Amino acid sequence: MRVRWRRRPAALGPRPQMKLLRLKLHTQIFLALVLAVVAGLLTDPDTRLLGVSLFAAYDFIGSMFLNALRMLIVPIITSSIITGIAGIGSSEALGRLGGKTFAYYMMTSFLAIVVGILAVNMIQPGIVDGEPAREILGLSAEHAADVAEKVGNHDASSLTNVFLSMIPPNIVAAAADGQLLGLIFFSLLYGFYMTRIGDEYAQIQYKFWCGVYEIVMRLTELVMKFAPIGVFALVAKVVAGIGQEDLGSLVQSLGLFFITVVLSLSFHAFVTLPLLLATLGRVNPLRHYKAMVTALLTAFSTASSSATLPLTIECVRDNAGVSNRVSSFVLPLGATINMDGTALYECVAAIFIAQAFGLELTFVTQFTILLIALLTSIGVAGIPAASLVAITIILSAIGLPLEAVGVILAVDRVLDMFRTSVNVFSDSCGAVIIARSEGETGILTETGDAPRV
Amino acid sequence: MLRLKLHWQILIAIILAAIVGHLVGEESGFLGVAFYDVFDFVGTLFINALKMLIVPLIASSIIVGVAGIGTSGDLGRLGGKTLLFYAITTLSAILVGLVLVNTVQPGLVNGEPAQELLALSADAGVVAAKVGEKGAGDVVEIFLRMVPPNIIEAAANGEMLGLIFFSILFGFFMTRLGHETADPLFRFWDAVFHVMMRMTEWVMLFAPIGVFGLVARTVAKTGFDAAAPLIVFALTVLAALFFHAVVTLPTLLRIVGRVSPLALYRAVAPALLTAFSTASSSATLPITMDCVEKKAGVSNRISSFVLPLGATVNMNGTALYECVAAMFIAQAYGLTLSFGVQFSIVVIALVTSVGVAGIPSASLVAIAIILSAVGLPVEAIGVLFVFDRILDMARTSINILGDACCAVIVARLEGEEGVLAGEPMEETVRS
């Protein structure tokens, strides 16, 4: 039984850092945000320092940061999906269990995304007082027209076109044009058939793509080191552009966005997943919450699925009473491919930005968003600052500009904590449901709870 | 359910498509969805999937193919001679095809382009512009195109000539590296090639559905009128193949090999029949080797080198067919292809036959490559499917015959005695 995906690094080990930068990345980003608001309020589009327009400087730095992120998209998508799928495909020895796990993870992610899309369409956080919030997000109107056209190009006018764009006539052209749906589909196929060729060939391919994946991960880390500077520039540009008076509406709009995400995450965690537990697993959901509470709190405070993994396994095994066989397979896999909360968040964020641009996203575009979020979640999970990269991917897949990413980052850290908890909770539900379907007894019964008492 | 062989499935799909397409027509629909659009969607999806494979397939197969030939460099003179003869026979086959297709003009019906009849939907003007852009007006342009200024851009734009040339160079220089660096690289590309083969097989599983869509679309639009130019086309191909088998190859045998062509036909007849019924060069290979060694009297040293190489590199019939097919489609669009474009078709057919051979349903993929390289719409594959199986059987036999001729000629050039002398005669006497 070779489980090759284990060799794919879930997270990179600690490396020496400069003393100055010892603040955690999210703290740095937070400081950058505060500084950016201050700097933005002090400058306006015409302020100059030594003859250089500060606004242009913000713009330059922000674009540079976004370009760096964009530059990584194609290799990230390709290598992460190929290695991810090859990993799942080769652990075929686990057969039925693997299939069930995969089906469950796909289903919950799908449900989470649907909840998110419904919520964001009802609440419409991107629309303030009946007007698109583009002004206050620092997005100009003529820019919006360009964007609308671009989305129109990317967007399929009909559902059949979505499927046609999944199978691009030229894969290199698809990569060059950023037609990510086609690239994702090709990578899925490639990864799958990589496991279906002779072992000798498969090994060298797998090692190669793992190497690419690791290199791209390191590159992403490097780019993320500049995130504070990039975020500073992006946010300062927005704040400088809109001036003091609109800052209130900006906060209001972001607040609404925040609430939308939290609401739909809670719906997923407190309605969808318990329903699944009760119907598919026939266990008492309340007991499961009780069993998982330590892991959930850790996930919330660390915002890292992989850091929480040992605790998750412990809770599921000792408190919920799931067998080691199931939990040691389902949970590590979940930590890398199952990201209900993240997928939900990505979709809400993409639609929020579209709303802010005043774009009416058709059903088909929203379907495309769903598809991409679902498919990328297989591969992108292990990447540092996954959410930021994933949003970049989704936005560029449907043709939305990336500038708005900076604004969203303002609330990203807190949402990340919620998202991660939901991810971990969904993983643990998966373990319970699959254990039940494998015919295990004694899960979440009184005796199962006993060790905690 | 799917235990029927692929070509039977495709045949059934064609027949069903003809019936359904005829019954449905262009207008009718179900629940507001026109059947015609459904056929179109299914067909396009299949064609897209085929096209998607082209670039990685071409690059990996040619790199691996060239590197594979290059590493067997210790065979030196023999390898050079073999390759030379393979190139000569393939080239002459292509030329025969080109001359014939230009004379018969199967793409014209009553002097008019058959575009309408074949329901080729792409706008002829657009196609003409595209061909003009890709196909190059004169020969100088073609050479410029062979060395593209940006290889990724060439791949993205589907400029096959540049991609092929780059891949050949890459494969060649891969063998000139130290083993330490060359080995991982070779294994990497070999693995890519294998993955792409698997993906091609997977896509071909959908061939019956895709072909159904393509053929049904054609029949729904034009009825059975499409059959007439297709029959002429099939006959053209058969005539060209026949000419190659009974005129070109025997002439070469006589002049260069100084042996009796009739004796060779007799010796390899079993292999030809097997090739005809299986339509697979590689499946026939053991029989070909047996015939060439035992009946034609070629030494094992030569046959064991020349024939396996030929089964992957030398495809007289296939190259001929590809050219005729591309010309047929161009004629159907009412395009007069300049000498330059025809020359580039020849070059691409010649070069792709080096790499593409091992691929399942190679001819289909190869035609997709040629069509997109010249700038013709790949959708046209659908109509070519109708007679593909029969032509494939004929093509494969010609491929095998070409391989066997090369084996005999190379053996003669190496100074072997007793090739096609005596032994076959004895056998006929005995029987």
Side-chain angles (χ1 to χ4, degrees), chain A residues 145-165:
Chain A
D146 286 352
V147 170
E149 196 179 318
K150 215 168 151 201
V151 172
N153 285 344
H154 274 253
D155 165 35
S157 45
S158 65
L159 210 57
T160 50
N161 282 357
V162 175
F163 286 104
L164 284 181
S165 71

Side-chain angles (χ1 to χ4, degrees), chain A residues 167-170 193 196 201 205, chain B residues 48 51-52 155-156 192 198 202:
Chain A
I167 305 186
N170 183 330
Y193 282 100
R196 293 286 174 285
Y201 300 117
Q205 280 284 310
Chain B
N48 267 9
K51 277 187 186 164
M52 178 176 79
V192 172
R198 281 304 174 97
W202 181 74

Side-chain angles (χ1 to χ4, degrees), chain B residues 11 72 79 102 112 156 200 224 240 247 289 291 306 310 329 366 379 386 423:
Chain B
L11 193 69
S72 59
N102 276 310
E112 288 289 309
T200 313
F224 291 112
V247 180
M289 291 188 71
C291 288
V306 174
I329 300 292
E379 287 67 26
V386 176
E423 292 95 326

Side-chain angles (χ1 to χ4, degrees), chain A residues 159-161 163-173 176 182 185-186 189-191 193-194 196-198 200-202 204-205 208-209, chain B residues 41 44-45 48-53 55-56 152 154-158 160 183-185 187-192 194-196 198-199 202:
Chain A
L159 210 57
T160 50
N161 282 357
F163 286 104
L164 284 181
S165 71
M166 276 178 77
I167 305 186
N170 183 330
I171 185 63
V172 179
F185 183 71
F186 185 85
L189 275 185
Y190 194 94
Y193 282 100
M194 218 167 85
R196 293 286 174 285
I197 56 177
E200 203 185 324
Y201 300 117
I204 190 156
Q205 280 284 310
F208 173 81
W209 286 109
Chain B
F41 172 68
T44 314
L45 213 55
N48 267 9
L50 268 184
K51 277 187 186 164
M52 178 176 79
L53 304 171
V55 169
I152 301 284
N157 295 337
M160 293 302 146
D183 284 351
L185 212 52
R187 274 186 282 147
F188 172 78
W189 283 108
D190 206 13
V192 172
H194 275 82
V195 174
M196 293 316 300
R198 281 304 174 97
M199 281 174 69
W202 181 74

Side-chain angles (χ1 to χ4, degrees), chain B residues 362-387:
Chain B
S363 62
L364 195 67
V365 181
I367 290 177
I369 291 169
I370 291 205
L371 289 181
S372 60
V374 183
L376 290 166
V378 180
E379 287 67 26
I381 282 185
V383 296
L384 298 179
F385 250 120
V386 176
F387 287 111

Side-chain angles (χ1 to χ4, degrees), chain A residues 401-444:
Chain A
L402 300 183
E403 280 77 7
V405 162
V407 181
I408 285 188
L409 277 183
V411 287
D412 188 68
R413 170 66 189 177
V414 186
L415 289 179
D416 199 8
M417 294 157 75
F418 283 105
R419 288 197 304 263
T420 311
S421 315
V422 171
N423 292 344
V424 168
F425 186 64
S426 167
D427 294 350
S428 71
C429 291
V432 168
I433 289 175
I434 284 155
R436 289 286 294 173
S437 75
E438 292 277 301
E440 289 187 16
T441 48
I443 292 168
L444 294 171

Side-chain angles (χ1 to χ4, degrees), chain B residues 86 241 244 249 272 275 281 288 310-311 314-320 392-405:
Chain B
Y86 283 157
L241 288 175
H244 186 65
L249 288 177
L272 294 185
S281 304
T288 321
N314 187 35
M315 309 207 99
N316 295 175
T318 310
L320 184 156
D392 197 9
M393 292 157 75
R395 288 196 304 261
T396 311
S397 315
I398 303 302
N399 291 345
I400 298 287
L401 187 63
D403 294 351
C405 286

